[in-house]
Amino acid sequence: MNLNQLNFHHLFYFWRVAKLGHLTRAAEELHTSQSSVSAQIRQLEERIGEELFMRESRRLILTDTGQLVQAYAENIFGLGQEMLGRLQGHSAGITRLRVGSVATLSRNYQENWIRPLLSDPTVVLTLESGLMEGLLNRLVQHQLDVVLTNETVPADPDRPLHCKFLGSQSISLVGPAKVWKSKNVRIPEDLDGVDIALPGPRHALRAQFDALCAAAGVSPKVRAEVDDMAMLRLIARDSGWLTVLPEVVVQDELGAGILVVVGHSTVLQERFYAITTPRRHRIEVLEQLLTL
């Protein structure tokens, strides 16, 4: 089959069904009938010469060929979405930057990273947070320009990504200033039986902290496990417990004297990364942020 024989309308219908996994929902989204969607996919299968879906009960399962076609369709229509977004921004004389960040990343760190753009009237920001896998899927579909994270992504030849190290920050032990006067609490030696709030199990720091405690034979009294750094910040401020976190999370509370740093770890470090796709459209303001 030659390229001029490929019907991109049929391919688009296939892409939506593959994404939604359901003919009826795809038909509703496309404002057409289920039979019309089925017919267009059958025509695409006839052109390609292979089946794209298998039926299991009421579910549609992609065949090996269907998975391959879906991967290319993601790129084709993802780039189309990116093109429309760029054209809309260009026509209005603005630059749109779409930034995703994992839910375990400090919002203060994210704001600090984008701060150079906040005074630029020609930049419009879209900020999203979520789980790593969902954000990476949106990145490769060109629905995001960059993903900020505190962990690297494994190499995957089927999903090439660039992972740029942005920097790191040591981890501190903080507590309410009105309760904690001592500022030389050792991590983890002095934490046995101490009420403490920690990043949740999904956070990159948690395994490191647990390993330190296990090696020292120390068992803190864990009062809270919090994935979201904004919530961990509130817990640190209002609970009276000690909290393990990067200082950037509570930079405002430290500056105001509400919280104090009572200990530092020379071992624990949170690392920050920017994930991009190698074939991304060059956005000058993003390139500037990546080189800071």
Side-chain angles (χ1 to χ4, degrees):
M1 180 174 64
N2 297 325
L3 182 60
N4 60 4
Q5 295 175 300
L6 177 61
N7 189 313
F8 284 90
H9 189 69
H10 296 166
L11 184 63
F12 180 76
Y13 273 41
F14 159 78
W15 179 56
R16 297 317 302 156
V17 173
K19 289 283 289 182
L20 297 171
H22 202 281
L23 274 172
T24 302
R25 286 200 293 269
E28 291 172 352
E29 178 189 279
L30 296 165
H31 305 292
T32 188
S33 67
Q34 183 174 328
S35 59
S36 175
V37 175
S38 295
Q40 304 225 25
I41 291 176
R42 280 198 303 273
Q43 292 178 53
L44 179 62
E45 289 176 326
E46 290 170 2
R47 288 287 180 91
I48 292 174
E50 296 190 48
E51 290 187 347
L52 300 174
F53 290 105
M54 297 181 297
R55 281 195 173 274
E56 287 187 6
S57 184
R58 294 186 174 183
R59 297 175 60 227
L60 288 175
I61 308 297
L62 285 167
T63 63
D64 289 343
T65 300
Q67 292 177 16
L68 177 64
V69 173
Q70 183 193 28
Y72 280 100
E74 290 281 6
N75 284 328
I76 291 168
F77 295 115
L79 284 169
Q81 290 174 333
E82 181 186 20
M83 177 193 70
L84 292 175
R86 295 285 172 250
L87 289 174
Q88 290 167 1
H90 180 72
S91 65
I94 61 174
T95 298
R96 298 182 184 274
L97 183 63
R98 301 161 299 176
V99 181
S101 67
V102 293
T104 56
L105 189 74
S106 162
R107 295 297 168 261
N108 282 344
Y109 177 83
Q110 183 179 357
E111 183 189 18
N112 290 345
W113 192 72
I114 63 172
R115 191 179 299 279
L117 305 181
L118 298 183
S119 59
D120 189 338
T122 68
V123 174
V124 173
L125 293 166
T126 298
L127 307 176
E128 300 183 19
S129 65
L131 299 179
M132 173 77 92
E133 189 59 29
L135 293 172
L136 292 182
N137 285 337
R138 290 179 58 73
L139 180 67
V140 298
Q141 293 167 25
H142 308 285
Q143 295 170 3
L144 291 173
D145 301 308
V146 62
V147 171
L148 300 179
T149 177
N150 49 13
E151 56 185 303
T152 58
V153 292
D156 184 348
D158 295 326
R159 189 172 66 179
L161 296 168
H162 284 166
C163 185
K164 179 176 175 57
F165 176 66
L166 298 176
S168 63
Q169 185 173 70
S170 61
I171 301 308
S172 297
L173 192 65
V174 305
K178 61 184 179 181
V179 176
W180 291 92
K181 306 303 181 184
S182 173
K183 296 186 180 180
N184 58 355
V185 178
R186 296 173 299 166
I187 304 173
E189 291 84 357
D190 296 336
L191 298 180
D192 198 42
V194 174
D195 289 338
I196 197 166
L198 295 173
R202 291 188 304 179
H203 197 286
L205 290 172
R206 183 58 185 276
Q208 301 175 48
F209 178 80
D210 288 348
L212 276 181
C213 290
V218 171
S219 297
K221 187 177 180 181
V222 179
R223 300 296 304 275
E225 300 175 300
V226 187
D227 273 340
D228 183 83
M229 290 295 102
M231 178 57 72
L232 189 58
R233 166 179 165 266
L234 296 177
I235 294 290
R237 187 187 69 189
D238 300 332
S239 67
W241 309 326
L242 290 179
T243 308
V244 175
L245 40 63
E247 289 182 30
V248 68
V249 175
V250 289
Q251 61 186 19
D252 296 335
E253 287 76 11
L254 291 173
I258 299 170
L259 295 173
V260 292
V261 176
V262 301
H264 289 282
S265 170
T266 58
V267 177
L268 296 175
Q269 294 272 330
E270 182 169 27
R271 296 171 176 83
F272 304 105
Y273 303 90
I275 313 298
T276 56
T277 57
R279 289 184 291 177
R280 71 182 187 276
H281 174 79
R282 182 179 176 85
I283 306 171
E284 192 58 39
V285 293
L286 175 57
E287 302 303 323
Q288 293 170 3
L289 290 177
L290 293 174
T291 56
L292 290 178

